[in-house]
Amino acid sequence: MMDAALTKRLRQIVGENNYRDDQEARVAHSYDGTPMLQSLPDGVIYPSSTEQVSEIMKALAAYRVPVVSRGSGSNLCGGTVPVAGGVVMVMHRMNRILEIDMENLTATVQPGIITGEFIAHVESLGLFYPPDPSSMKISTIGGNIAECSGGLRGLKYGTTKDYVIGLEAVLASGDIIRTGGKLMKDVAGYDLTKLLVGSEGTLAIITEATLKLVPPPAVKKTMLAMYKDLYGAARTVSRIIEQKIIPATLEFMDNPTIRVVDDFAKLGLPRDMEAILLIEQDGDSETVERDIAKIREICELEQADRIDVAENREQAEKLLTARRSAFTALARLRPTTMLEDATVPRSRIADMVLRINEIARKYDVAIATFGHAGDGNLHPTATTDARDKEEVHRVEQAFEEIFQAAIELGGTITGEHGVGLVKAPFLEWKVGAAGLEVMKGIKNAFDPHHLLNPGKIFAKESRKRVVIERG
């Protein structure tokens, strides 16, 4: 239980109705989008300004009470589960677009704005904010910044970190810092903006962000290439990039995903294909037509069984929506869906998919794979049932080997979901013991009492790598 004097102070800061410690509020904020993880906070607070966040942190710091800042809680790494109790700080009241600067092509926003709503507003003004996580209809800009979210357009346009150019943030002490700004060049000291992007709420609480906007592409064209040979699909990805063509979207779905997505979206996809590539190019009309023609040639060279080009934007949006719905479609199969991500060099995509399939057979679990083929970021997704403890254990063993396989192929344990709780035991595999100590030093400098999202990124004990024998 929280100290009564602290609770009184928190209510004074935000108002009586914006601090809650009833059971309903505590349970509602005890979990996020990650299955089978839950921990009750002591209270939930809803600030409406940077000044309130600062005062809240000063009060919590005085009592050494931990805090987890949270948007919609749609993350998939346990990043907003309050494992140490304390207070969950929900940022949804701070949801305004503060400015759209047409001269500098920037937007200044509060962290609680829904990503999809922000994108729609920007596009209504004739501008473009490219980061497009699949969760964008519910996720917030602040959450995207915390996790450095990616998306389908990441290959050509980059991820969230490429568009965050300035931040306002509150430290664990309650001090307010401002980094970057409406600048294209700024090398004054360490780049704290980029350090905070992707820090998962462990270094500071983001209260305002300045985002770079770009002119929208004039034309878009979308196609599907379907393969009976997995390696043909993978080679297509590599050949497209070798030809110095960078598509706006280059997505991959394996056979189990194709079947489930077709059941869900009713697109009439061929169920006998081993892989489908969803490819979109944008830009000026001449470039798009040239690139799509060249991509078609490459697909044919790699023995694509069928190639369809969307006839209009409505048809293209149906294809893109189907890909974005892969997780939703898979989640209909069984009570529990465990969606992971691992990234490998794009030249190793086929090897990685085959390794995933091999590992799934070894542990007798159902895993479908889809993802961003153009940047090597795959999402192996297991459908299971949390009530079957033995099967869940096998799924966890399978994912441990999948993470190790990704590293063996020159990749990483996470490309966009973040470390959080789920990947913390494996972080040392990627960054090494020395790298881990550097990260811990940064955490200690920002947050010496470990009040900000404690228990995330750094595991109490790193998982030991084992030698995996393959037949």
Side-chain angles (χ1 to χ4, degrees):
M1 292 292 293
M2 297 257 287
D3 185 282
L6 174 59
T7 300
K8 180 180 179 180
R9 175 61 184 141
L10 294 176
R11 286 197 165 105
Q12 287 174 342
I13 294 168
V14 296
E16 190 70 25
N17 295 328
N18 293 312
Y19 176 79
R20 293 178 58 182
D21 54 11
D22 57 279
Q23 190 71 357
E24 180 183 2
R26 292 171 65 213
V27 170
H29 296 89
S30 64
Y31 59 91
D32 57 23
T34 319
M36 301 181 296
L37 293 177
Q38 187 172 22
S39 183
L40 282 173
D42 296 300
V44 183
I45 198 163
Y46 307 84
S48 63
S49 68
T50 300
E51 291 69 30
Q52 285 188 2
V53 174
S54 175
E55 290 303 311
I56 292 165
M57 287 312 307
K58 288 175 183 176
L60 295 177
Y63 285 83
R64 298 286 191 266
V65 172
V67 61
V68 177
S69 56
R70 172 188 168 116
S72 298
S74 57
N75 78 89
L76 295 165
C77 65
T80 50
V81 178
V83 291
V87 172
V88 171
M89 187 184 296
V90 183
M91 309 303 287
H92 277 170
R93 293 180 69 208
M94 298 177 64
N95 61 0
R96 292 184 298 135
I97 298 174
L98 301 174
E99 180 191 46
I100 302 292
D101 185 336
M102 303 297 285
E103 292 183 340
N104 289 301
L105 294 187
T106 64
T108 303
V109 303
Q110 293 181 311
I113 188 167
I114 300 298
T115 307
E117 293 176 5
F118 170 68
I119 290 173
H121 179 73
V122 166
E123 290 182 352
S124 74
L125 300 176
L127 294 170
F128 187 37
Y129 179 73
D132 61 336
S134 295
S135 62
M136 65 183 183
K137 288 186 177 180
I138 57 171
S139 65
T140 63
I141 288 291
N144 295 169
I145 292 170
E147 300 294 342
C148 190
S149 299
L152 275 65
R153 295 192 285 242
L155 169 62
K156 183 172 185 176
Y157 289 101
T159 60
T160 299
K161 69 177 183 291
D162 299 302
Y163 295 87
V164 180
I165 57 177
L167 291 172
E168 177 185 77
V170 176
L171 301 177
S173 63
D175 291 339
I176 301 169
I177 63 169
R178 291 176 176 82
T179 73
K182 298 178 183 181
L183 307 168
M184 294 301 106
K185 293 180 178 180
D186 181 6
V187 293
Y190 298 140
D191 191 341
L192 296 180
T193 305
K194 291 295 187 285
L195 178 60
L196 292 179
V197 176
S199 62
E200 303 186 29
T202 64
L203 301 182
I205 297 174
I206 306 301
T207 55
E208 188 178 296
T210 301
L211 308 173
K212 178 175 69 174
L213 306 177
V214 296
V219 176
K220 297 179 181 179
K221 204 150 202 177
T222 307
M223 66 186 290
L224 278 183
M226 308 166 212
Y227 297 80
K228 291 183 177 178
D229 173 26
L230 182 65
Y231 272 97
R235 284 194 303 268
T236 298
V237 173
S238 296
R239 285 185 180 273
I240 289 171
I241 306 302
E242 283 175 6
Q243 292 297 314
K244 300 180 178 61
I245 300 171
I246 307 297
T249 298
L250 181 45
E251 296 290 302
F252 167 90
M253 292 188 287
D254 72 354
N255 181 266
T257 310
I258 293 167
R259 291 171 176 269
V260 173
V261 166
D262 194 53
D263 285 338
F264 180 76
K266 309 298 184 187
L267 291 174
L269 299 175
R271 293 165 174 257
D272 59 339
M273 297 296 162
E274 285 302 307
I276 282 179
L277 295 179
L278 171 63
I279 308 165
E280 182 172 78
Q281 184 58 302
D282 63 13
D284 65 83
S285 180
E286 183 180 346
T287 300
V288 170
E289 291 296 335
R290 183 187 67 236
D291 285 353
I292 287 292
K294 185 61 179 177
I295 290 169
R296 177 188 278 276
E297 287 180 18
I298 293 169
C299 294
E300 291 171 348
L301 180 67
E302 294 299 343
Q303 305 301 309
D305 193 75
R306 177 175 149 192
I307 302 170
D308 292 343
V309 177
E311 295 178 0
N312 51 52
R313 197 63 215 154
E314 181 181 2
Q315 193 178 76
E317 284 301 325
K318 284 184 178 180
L319 297 177
L320 290 165
T321 300
R323 162 58 188 88
R324 293 185 195 280
S325 70
F327 175 51
T328 304
L330 287 163
R332 299 166 72 224
L333 297 181
R334 297 191 66 194
T336 307
T337 308
M338 299 173 69
L339 171 62
E340 280 297 351
D341 80 318
T343 301
V344 294
R346 50 185 165 242
S347 61
R348 306 306 299 272
I349 285 174
D351 296 324
M352 187 63 194
V353 173
L354 292 176
R355 289 284 292 276
I356 291 168
N357 294 342
E358 174 188 319
I359 291 166
R361 287 192 296 270
K362 174 180 175 180
Y363 290 99
D364 190 25
V365 294
I367 296 180
T369 303
F370 59 93
H372 316 304
D375 52 27
N377 184 208
L378 297 174
H379 295 306
T381 305
T383 52
T384 182
D385 188 333
R387 295 167 293 187
D388 187 339
K389 304 300 182 186
E390 190 275 333
E391 183 180 70
V392 168
H393 179 63
R394 285 187 279 114
V395 171
E396 290 171 342
Q397 288 179 303
F399 277 130
E400 184 169 338
E401 286 201 19
I402 286 169
F403 301 150
Q404 183 154 332
I407 289 174
E408 290 175 359
L409 292 171
T412 183
I413 60 172
T414 177
E416 58 186 8
H417 287 180
V419 176
L421 280 175
V422 175
K423 303 286 183 67
F426 312 107
L427 181 59
E428 189 174 335
W429 292 6
K430 173 58 182 173
V431 303
L436 198 61
E437 288 306 308
V438 170
M439 291 184 181
K440 288 179 178 178
I442 293 170
K443 169 67 172 174
N444 289 333
F446 273 83
D447 181 19
H449 301 295
H450 289 208
L451 301 181
L452 295 172
N453 208 4
K456 312 300 166 57
I457 298 182
F458 308 112
K460 291 181 180 178
E461 185 176 348
S462 296
R463 192 69 56 86
K464 300 299 180 185
R465 292 182 67 179
V466 297
V467 176
I468 301 174
E469 294 184 2
R470 295 187 298 277

